[in-house]
Amino acid sequence: MPRVTNLAELPVADPWWVVRSVSDGVTLITEPHVHPLLRCNVWHVRGRDRDLVIDTALGLAPLAHLVERELGHGVLAVATHSHSDHVGGMHEFEERAIHRAEAADLTTPMRTTLVAEHYGDTVLAPYRDAGYDIPELFVDAVPAAGMAMVGEIGPAPATRVLDDGDIVDCGDRSFEVLHLPGHSPGSIGLWEAATGVLFSGDAVYDGPLLDELEGSDIDVYVTTMRRLRELPVTVVHGGHEASFARDRLIELCDAYLARRGQ
């Protein structure tokens, strides 16, 4: 990414989003001009009776129009956790869900920033150590409507509070809520046992895992990794980076457990 400190120096990217079908009924929506550290994967799952939008990115540009279908077809926006890079677009959806442990976070305004120096070493160091470039700004372009380097995400209270074992039903497919704390207290995954598909949020993805943030708990994360390692997944769609199969999941879990002395 370019070494710039002023958004006015950056080009305009229009369209802002990239939309790609990854499997039958599942679409990945991403912001290619956002640094991987903050580039949240937005997953759109089409269902017979209701669609799911799993995470909603930073809120830098409108999102809802990309998942709109026929009038009356419901869309539930599910936040895998309440970090700002995952909940920026929650306010665009009438139906919103999050785990009970982080539901209060959606009721108050939340600060978001694209300035690298605003993040501490608990965020930056794992990426730097993994070989990622850390620019001054975590974007290399701006959307057509512009944006601020430091902004605020407005309140978007949950209309449904989730707990471990709850079922999110789309009509022709259903997902079990897995409480996967460690990265954050209310981190969740959505697990479709019939297909072996797991939407894992930031509990596990193929990149530097952050476990020393405010609200993180390494001991609890170890328990989550042991749980994830036993899941008979076919594919994991994470909160960041590319999707992966079960063999890679086991490698990631084992690497984390080894790093944390388990």
Side-chain angles (χ1 to χ4, degrees), residues 43-95:
W43 299 101
H44 178 205
V45 181
R46 292 172 179 80
R48 184 190 65 213
D49 301 334
R50 175 168 63 179
D51 287 7
L52 300 180
V53 174
I54 303 168
D55 289 328
T56 60
L58 286 158
L60 301 179
L63 170 67
H65 69 282
L66 297 176
V67 302
E68 289 174 347
R69 293 176 66 183
E70 62 271 17
L71 187 66
H73 192 92
V75 178
L76 174 66
V78 179
T80 62
H81 60 299
S82 65
H83 289 167
S84 61
D85 55 326
H86 291 258
V87 300
M90 290 292 281
H91 66 281
E92 297 185 52
F93 300 91
E94 292 185 5
E95 297 183 73

Side-chain angles (χ1 to χ4, degrees), residues 24-159:
D24 186 29
V26 178
T27 299
L28 173 61
I29 305 171
T30 57
E31 299 173 288
H33 298 284
V34 175
H35 186 278
L37 191 155
L38 295 180
R39 186 190 303 146
C40 167
N41 289 333
V42 178
W43 299 101
H44 178 205
V45 181
R46 292 172 179 80
R48 184 190 65 213
D49 301 334
R50 175 168 63 179
D51 287 7
L52 300 180
V53 174
I54 303 168
D55 289 328
T56 60
L58 286 158
L60 301 179
L63 170 67
H65 69 282
L66 297 176
V67 302
E68 289 174 347
R69 293 176 66 183
E70 62 271 17
L71 187 66
H73 192 92
V75 178
L76 174 66
V78 179
T80 62
H81 60 299
S82 65
H83 289 167
S84 61
D85 55 326
H86 291 258
V87 300
M90 290 292 281
H91 66 281
E92 297 185 52
F93 300 91
E94 292 185 5
E95 297 183 73
R96 302 176 292 269
I98 193 170
H99 189 269
R100 183 178 305 278
E102 296 183 24
D105 296 342
L106 297 186
T107 65
T108 57
M110 185 180 304
R111 180 175 180 256
T112 183
T113 178
L114 301 172
V115 182
E117 67 180 16
H118 292 168
Y119 296 85
D121 275 349
T122 57
V123 175
L124 301 180
Y127 276 80
R128 189 181 293 115
D129 292 346
Y132 288 75
D133 176 59
I134 305 296
E136 281 86 354
L137 293 178
F138 283 132
V139 291
D140 62 13
V142 297
M147 64 184 181
M149 287 192 293
V150 179
E152 183 178 277
I153 298 171
T159 60

Side-chain angles (χ1 to χ4, degrees), residues 5-20:
T5 57
N6 187 341
L7 291 179
E9 301 175 27
L10 296 178
V12 173
D14 189 14
W16 178 252
W17 302 96
V18 169
V19 180
R20 178 173 63 88

